[in-house]
Amino acid sequence: MGRKSREKRERNHTTIAQHERKGKNLHPPISKIENLTKTSWKDNRLPEFLWIGLIIHLNERLVGLDYIRQISKYFYDRNEELRPEELSFTSIAAMPDEQIESFYNFLFKELFLAEELKPLLIFNSLPKKDLLEKHISLNDEKIEIELAKLYSSVANMIDHQSQLATDCRWARIYYLMIKGKLHMGSEAENIFYYPQQGDMRRVRPTIRACENAMSLMGKQNVWVEKFWTEALHNSPCWDLNVKEEEESDLTPLMMPNLNEVENTIIEHFYESRSTSAIDAKHEAAFAFTLYCLDILKELTDSGIQNGITGRLGLRTIAECYITLAYLVKKNDEQLWLSYRSYGSGQAKLAFLKIDELEKQPQFVSLDTLEALANEDQWQEFSNINLGHWENSNLRAMSETARVKDVYNSYYDWTSGFAHGQWSSLRSMEFTICGNPLHRLHRIPNENKKLPTTVGDAADLCNKIIEILFELYPNEKVPLLNMT
C-alpha cells in the first residue's frame, strides 16, 4: 500500500497482560515493590558529577578514567576526616576551605585540568565558586567555547545508560570502594580495573544498579535545581524538529479511484433496494460506507490527513466499522431499528436543547435537526436514550464482532485527540528542545506534521466496503487503491 513495512520491535517493556487491574486502573508489576523510591540520574545526580564527566569526556576516555583514579588516590592518601564523603561536587564543597584549596592545587597544578573544568564557572550557584575562581578564570569573550564543552559533555551523559554516564557512576562507586565504604564482593576486581576487565555486558549494568541503590539514600541538594535553572536561563532553546516516529512516512497519500468507488456504491444502493418503506439495515449499511468515504475524501482533498482533524476522522471511521461489524455479527433486524431509533432520539435531544438557547450555534440548522427528529415518526412518540443505543460500549462491541484488533489499533490513541488528552496535545504542540542543558524539556513545535492517516483510513474503508458487499452481493467489489 506504499507504506514502509515495520519489523516487530524487541520488547523492553511489560505487556498489558502483565499489568494488574484494580478497578479502572492497570498497575505495572514494578508497583508491587513496597517503599519504592524513584530517583533520577538526569535531574538529581548529573550536576553533582558533571565535573567528572567533563574530565572524562574532554580527554581520551582511558586517560580521563585514569585522572579519576588519581583523584581517588589523592583523597585515599589523606586522613578519613579530610576526605569528602563521596565525589559529588556538594561533598567536595563541604570540606574545610583549606582542604578544598589543597585539592584544587592538585587538580590544576599537578593534573593540569583547568581547561576541562572552566565550564563550571558559568554557574553562579556552584558551591564555593569563589575558591575555584582563585585557580581558574572564565573569559567572557570565550564563554561560547565553554558552553560548547558543556553541551557536548551533558549531551553524552544525560542518558543514564550512556557510556559517559556509566563512567561517572563508576567513579562514584570506585571512590567509595577504595575508601572502604562499599564492598562489591565478586565484582570488586572488575570495578577496580574497569573498563579493561570483565564482561561489560554484566559489569556496566552492575555499576548502574549499585550507584542507583546508593542514590536512594541520598538527599536532594538545593544547588542542583539552581544549576538547571541557570542552565535554562543562560542558554537558548534549540528546535531540532525531531521526528519522534522515524519509521513513519509523512508523505500525503492520494486516492485516485475514490470517486469511482463512491459512484459504484451509490449505483449499487439503487440496484439492491427492495422497498420504499423504512429499511434500517439497508440504509444504515450504505450510509456507514458512504459516510466513511466522505471522511476519506475530506482527508485527501483538504490536506488534513497529517494533522489533528485527520486523527478525528480516522477515529470516526474506526467506530463506524466496529459498529457495522457488530450489527452484522448480531444479525438482528430489531437491532438495526434500535440503532436507527437511537439516532433519531439524539437528533430530537439536540433539537430540544438548542431550541431553548437564546444564542444558537451556527454549525447546524435547527430546521434540519427538527426534520431528522421527525423523519421516521412524530418526535412526540420518540424516546430519548441517554445511554448507549445497545447498552454496551465500543470495546465490548469490537470483541463481539471479533474486530478488537481495529479497536486496539485505531480507537484509543485517536480518542486522545478528540478529548484533548495530554499525550495527544503534547505530540502535536510540542517538540524536544535540543539543548542538553535544558534536560530535554518541551518547546512549542513549529513543524506540526504527523504521519498521514489516509492509508489506515482507506484500509478501514475497504473493510467496510467488503462488509457491505457481503450483505448485498455484486459481481465486482469496488475497493480503494492508493498512490
Side-chain angles (χ1 to χ4, degrees), residues 50-51 54 89 104 108 114-140 143 146-147 150 223 227 230 234:
L50 174 59
W51 72 280
L54 288 165
F89 204 90
Y104 285 165
F108 302 121
E115 289 304 314
E116 287 87 342
L117 297 178
K118 277 184 182 180
L120 296 175
L121 295 177
I122 291 175
F123 299 94
N124 293 322
S125 60
L126 193 72
K128 294 190 178 178
K129 179 183 177 183
D130 57 320
L131 297 182
L132 186 60
E133 288 178 317
K134 291 181 180 179
H135 297 267
I136 54 177
S137 60
L138 182 64
N139 187 332
D140 290 341
I143 194 167
E146 306 309 323
L147 276 171
L150 277 176
W223 93 270
F227 168 92
E230 282 195 74
N234 294 338

Side-chain angles (χ1 to χ4, degrees), residues 5-11 247:
S5 60
R6 183 173 300 183
E7 295 180 0
K8 192 73 173 178
R9 294 180 180 178
E10 182 180 349
R11 282 203 181 109
E247 297 178 20

Side-chain angles (χ1 to χ4, degrees), residues 109-381:
K109 293 182 179 179
E110 295 187 39
L111 299 185
F112 306 103
L113 294 173
E115 289 304 314
E116 287 87 342
L117 297 178
K118 277 184 182 180
L120 296 175
L121 295 177
I122 291 175
F123 299 94
N124 293 322
S125 60
L126 193 72
K128 294 190 178 178
K129 179 183 177 183
D130 57 320
L131 297 182
L132 186 60
E133 288 178 317
K134 291 181 180 179
H135 297 267
I136 54 177
S137 60
L138 182 64
N139 187 332
D140 290 341
E141 295 179 358
K142 295 184 177 181
I143 194 167
E144 292 300 324
I145 295 176
E146 306 309 323
L147 276 171
K149 296 177 186 177
L150 277 176
Y151 294 147
S152 179
S153 298
V154 173
N156 280 276
M157 63 188 295
I158 200 166
D159 179 356
H160 72 104
Q161 292 184 320
S162 69
Q163 177 176 284
L164 184 55
T166 303
D167 288 348
C168 293
R169 299 170 80 173
W170 163 82
R172 186 183 188 190
I173 65 174
Y174 173 82
Y175 171 71
L176 292 176
M177 189 178 76
I178 67 167
K179 189 180 163 187
K181 296 296 183 181
L182 182 65
H183 301 282
M184 294 298 296
S186 60
E187 290 294 330
E189 191 171 332
N190 290 333
I191 300 299
F192 191 84
Y193 291 106
Y194 173 85
Q196 295 179 302
Q197 180 170 306
D199 183 353
M200 288 300 108
R201 292 173 297 180
R202 188 184 77 247
V203 175
R204 285 163 55 87
T206 299
I207 289 170
R208 293 191 291 264
C210 180
E211 190 275 336
N212 192 63
M214 291 164 45
S215 302
L216 297 176
M217 300 176 288
K219 296 180 180 179
Q220 173 66 38
N221 296 300
V222 175
W223 93 270
V224 167
E225 194 54 45
K226 291 181 179 178
F227 168 92
W228 289 119
T229 300
E230 282 195 74
L232 175 64
H233 294 307
N234 294 338
S235 60
C237 288
W238 305 340
D239 185 352
L240 297 182
N241 283 325
V242 175
K243 248 196 228 178
E244 296 183 9
E245 298 182 53
E246 295 180 356
E247 297 178 20
S248 298
D249 187 357
L250 300 181
T251 306
L253 298 174
M254 303 305 294
M255 311 297 303
N257 70 330
L258 178 53
N259 290 332
E260 179 185 343
V261 169
E262 183 181 37
N263 291 334
T264 301
I265 290 171
I266 291 173
E267 289 176 9
H268 192 49
F269 170 83
Y270 289 110
E271 293 169 354
S272 58
R273 65 180 175 175
S274 60
T275 178
S276 59
I278 292 175
D279 189 341
K281 178 179 177 180
H282 183 265
E283 292 180 9
F286 277 90
F288 273 126
T289 308
L290 294 171
Y291 184 69
C292 291
L293 289 177
D294 276 336
I295 294 174
L296 183 58
K297 191 182 299 184
E298 290 185 13
L299 292 180
T300 55
D301 290 351
S302 58
I304 61 175
Q305 58 181 283
N306 294 97
I308 299 169
T309 311
R311 274 128 191 87
L312 306 188
L314 179 60
R315 176 182 186 266
T316 301
I317 293 174
E319 184 163 2
C320 287
Y321 170 67
I322 293 169
T323 303
L324 177 59
Y326 177 81
L327 287 165
V328 172
K329 181 70 176 178
K330 297 293 281 187
N331 193 26
D332 183 346
E333 294 294 332
Q334 188 58 45
L335 200 57
W336 290 92
L337 284 170
S338 295
Y339 167 77
R340 184 183 181 105
S341 297
Y342 176 83
S344 297
Q346 294 305 298
K348 174 182 176 180
L349 180 62
F351 165 71
L352 294 176
K353 284 183 175 180
I354 295 176
D355 187 49
E356 295 175 0
L357 297 177
E358 189 172 321
K359 182 179 180 181
Q360 297 176 351
Q362 300 178 16
F363 78 97
V364 64
S365 164
L366 200 61
D367 291 339
T368 298
L369 286 177
E370 184 176 22
L372 290 171
N374 287 278
E375 186 170 58
D376 289 350
Q377 64 180 1
W378 184 30
Q379 70 177 33
E380 297 304 323
F381 290 118

